[in-house]
Amino acid sequence: MNLGAGWVWRLLFLSSMVLAAIASSHEHPESEALGGDGGLDEEELQVLMADDDEEEEAMVTDEEQFEEDKDGAETSEIDANVTFQVTYKTPVPTGDVYFTETFDDGSLDRWQLSKTMKEDADEDIAKYDGKWMVEPLKENKVPGDQGLVLKSRAKHHAIAAMLDKPFVFQDESLVVQYEVNFQDGIDCGGAYIKLLSDSGSLSLEQFHDRTPYTIMFGPDKCGEDYKLHFIFRHKNPLNKDMEEKHAKRADVDLKKFYTDRKTHLYTLVLNPDNSYEMFIDQSSVSRGNLLSDMVPPVNPPKEIDDPNDSKPDDWDERAKIPDPEAMKPDDWDEDAPAKIEDPDALKPEGWLDDEPEFVSDPNAEKPEDWDEEMDGEWEAPQVPNPACETAPGCGEWKKPMINNPQYKGKWKAPLIDNPNYQGVWKPRKMMNPEYFEDLHPFRMTPFKAVGLELWSMTSDIYFDNFIITSHKEVADRWASDSWGLKKLVASANEPGIFAQLMMAAEERPWLWIIYILTVGLPIGLAVLFCWPKKPVDDYVYKKVELPQARIEEEDEEEEEEEEGAADEEDKEAEPAAGEGVTEDNGAQEDNQEGADNGEEEEMEEEEEEEEEAEESKSPERTLEDEQGDEGSVAEESHKQAVRKRRVRKD
C-alpha cells in the first residue's frame, strides 16, 4: 500500500509540534500563567519601539558590551547581529492614582527606613537594620530602569512611603500592583506589601510588625510552601476588635514564579461588591468573595452550641447491644486451644534423634588475648551439625501444629438493635450573642501608606513599579509601559530552541528518548513508504511462471491422449482411403495443408501481438490487478494451447 507524500508531511508537522510543546512545557513554565502577550497590543508595541533621541534606549542583541569612555559616559558597542531595539521611558500614569513609584531617579527620598525594634525577638536580631539599595536588575536589565532591592539576608527589613492621598473604601475599586524578581531564588522569606491603616498615630519611623495595616498582599515562601497572600483586617462592629481574614489559596502552582529568576507582576483587584481577584503576570490565579471565601468567615454563625448544656446520665447512644436473652450453647468449649498437634503426622525416616542441630566448631581456637578471669570460660562458637545436612532433621522430633477444628473462642452474645437508643447526643442550639451581619466588608479601614516589613534568608529581592489606583485599565497601561518592556527584553534574550532542548535534556536525561523517537519516527516512515518498488514486469513474470508450467504439463498430457486417439482413427480410415486415393486428392490435400499452415501462422502472430499488448500495460498496478492479470494470462495460455492442438490435429 502506497502512502501519499501528504501523510509524510503531516507526520513531520505533528512531530515538530510535539517537540515544541515539550520544550515549551519544560523550559518556559511561566507561559502557562501568562495572559496573551502581557497586555501589549500592536499600538503599544509601536509606542515602545518608537525612536526618540531624548529617551534612553535598550538594545537587544546577541552580544552587547557596555564601556565607559574617558569622560565617564556609558557607551554601547553593538555588533551587526541586532535583532530589534526597544525604547525605555519612565512610565507615567494615564489616570487618577493614589501612589506610584518607579525608583528610576535612583533615590529613596520619599521612603522612610524604620528605626524601631521588632517586638518579641532577641535583642541582637530585633533591630530593623536590613539594607536597601536602588539598582538595576542583574539579568535582562533595561538601561535607565532601576528598582528597590533588599540586600541583606537573615535580617529584618522595614521601609515605607506615604500615599499621595489616603484611599477610602466607598464606591471605587482598589487596584494594587507591583513587580517582584527573586534574582537569587528564595529559600525562606516574603515579598509582600502592607497597606498601612490611616490612624493619627501612624509614624513611618516606628513601622514594625505590629503596626496596624488594612491589607497585606504579595508572595511568600518558606520550605516547600508557596503562597500568595491576601489578608485584610476586619473590625468587629460589636467589640471593635480587628480580626485577620485570609483568602483561599491560589488555583495554580506558584513554584515557578519563585524559581525562574524572572520579573513577575502581582495585581490585586478589590471591588465594592465584595468580589476580589488576584493576578500574576496579568493572568488570574484566584478569585472569590469577601463574604464566602475568607477564613475565618467575616460574619460569625447565627446559632452556636449552648455551652451550659450537658448530656444526661441516662442518655443511651448505643445503636446495638448484646442480646440479653441469648444463651451460650452447652457444647461451646471456650477452653479449647486454637492449635493442636497433627494426629496423622509421622516422623520422617532417617530422623536423627540423638544428633543436636548445632555443634561446637572443631576448627575454632581460643584467642591468644582471651582472659578467663575477665572474659569467663572460653567456648567454641556453634555451627550447624554436618551430620544433619543429609538427614531429614536432627534433635527431638515433634508433631507439627494444625488449626483445632473444635476451637470456637470466647462466646459472645449476638448484637441486636437497642430499644432504648436515643441517637448521638448534641448540645442544644442557642442564639450567638456575638452574632453580627456585615454585608459590606469591602468598606475597610482607610489606609494612607505602603510599607515592606520583611524577613528573608535570601538577598537581592527586587521590587519595582508600584501603583495604587481605582481603575484596572490604568494599572494595565502602567504595566505595558514598565513590566511589558522587561518581559519583551527577557523574551528576546532567551536562548534558541535547540539550546533550550539541550538544556532541558541535561536536567532531564529521559528527554533524549523523546527526542530520538520524535526525529527517528518520521524519518523511518518516510524511508519505508518512499523507497522505490521493484519493477512490476519482473513481479508479474514470477507470478505467472508457476501456473504456466502447470498448464504446459496438463497440455502435454492432453496432447498425448488426443494423439493416441487420432492414430487410432487414422488406422481405421486407411483401408477406405487407400481404395479411393487419386492424384487429384493428393493435390487437394497439399493445398489444404498449405492453407492450414497459413492460418496457423496468422493465429500465432495474433497471439504474440496480444501477449505484447498485455505486457505493455502500466506496471503501476495494485496487488488485486496483478492477481487478476495472472488469471487472465493463465486463461489465455490455455486457449493458445487448445488452438495449437487443433491446428496440429487438422
Side-chain angles (χ1 to χ4, degrees), residues 250 388 416:
C388 300
I416 62 173

Side-chain angles (χ1 to χ4, degrees), residues 206-219:
Q206 301 299 316
F207 175 41
H208 56 87
D209 60 323
R210 302 295 178 87
T211 300
Y213 68 89
T214 301
I215 290 176
M216 187 174 84
F217 167 68

Side-chain angles (χ1 to χ4, degrees), residues 15-28 497 500-501 504 508 510-511 514-515 518:
S15 302
S16 63
M17 293 294 291
V18 170
L19 199 62
I22 294 171
S24 176
S25 62
H26 288 288
E27 297 300 324
H28 296 283
I497 182 65
Q500 296 177 23
L501 292 175
R508 306 169 185 86
W510 54 267
L511 285 176
I514 298 178
Y515 296 167
T518 304

Side-chain angles (χ1 to χ4, degrees), residues 33-213:
L34 294 180
D37 59 356
L40 292 174
D41 56 20
E42 183 177 358
E43 179 181 356
E44 293 167 348
L45 285 174
Q46 291 177 357
V47 173
L48 290 175
M49 313 232 353
D51 184 22
D52 189 349
D53 295 338
E54 298 178 358
E55 300 169 350
E56 299 186 57
E57 295 182 350
M59 307 300 295
V60 182
T61 63
D62 293 339
E63 294 183 2
E64 184 170 1
Q65 299 177 348
F66 293 97
E67 297 182 353
E68 294 186 359
D69 56 16
K70 297 180 180 180
D71 299 331
E74 187 177 57
T75 60
S76 173
E77 294 185 0
I78 306 172
D79 60 11
N81 297 323
V82 177
T83 56
F84 66 93
Q85 69 178 23
V86 293
T87 303
Y88 175 76
K89 180 180 179 181
T90 299
V92 177
T94 57
D96 187 24
V97 296
Y98 293 84
F99 179 82
T100 59
E101 179 61 83
T102 64
F103 304 102
D104 289 344
D105 58 359
S107 67
L108 292 173
D109 294 341
R110 67 184 301 183
W111 293 80
Q112 177 65 54
L113 294 172
S114 177
K115 299 180 180 180
T116 186
M117 305 282 287
K118 183 178 177 66
E119 298 182 7
D120 302 331
D122 296 338
E123 185 176 356
D124 55 341
I125 62 171
K127 189 175 181 180
Y128 287 96
D129 55 354
K131 303 298 181 182
W132 298 90
M133 296 289 290
V134 176
E135 58 188 28
L137 284 167
K138 290 183 177 180
E139 299 179 1
N140 300 318
K141 62 180 65 176
V142 180
D145 179 43
Q146 299 188 81
L148 179 65
V149 181
L150 182 149
K151 298 298 294 182
S152 307
R153 62 181 302 274
K155 288 183 177 294
H156 292 286
H157 303 72
I159 191 171
M162 286 291 185
L163 272 62
D164 299 337
K165 55 183 177 180
F167 185 91
V168 180
F169 293 89
Q170 290 295 334
D171 300 326
E172 291 186 333
S173 300
L174 171 65
V175 181
V176 181
Q177 182 173 277
Y178 68 106
E179 302 170 11
V180 176
N181 188 325
F182 297 102
Q183 301 184 97
D184 294 334
I186 183 70
D187 294 327
C188 183
Y192 47 80
I193 64 173
K194 292 181 178 181
L195 305 180
L196 306 182
S197 301
D198 185 5
S199 62
S201 60
L202 178 61
S203 174
L204 300 186
E205 289 186 354
Q206 301 299 316
F207 175 41
H208 56 87
D209 60 323
R210 302 295 178 87
T211 300
Y213 68 89

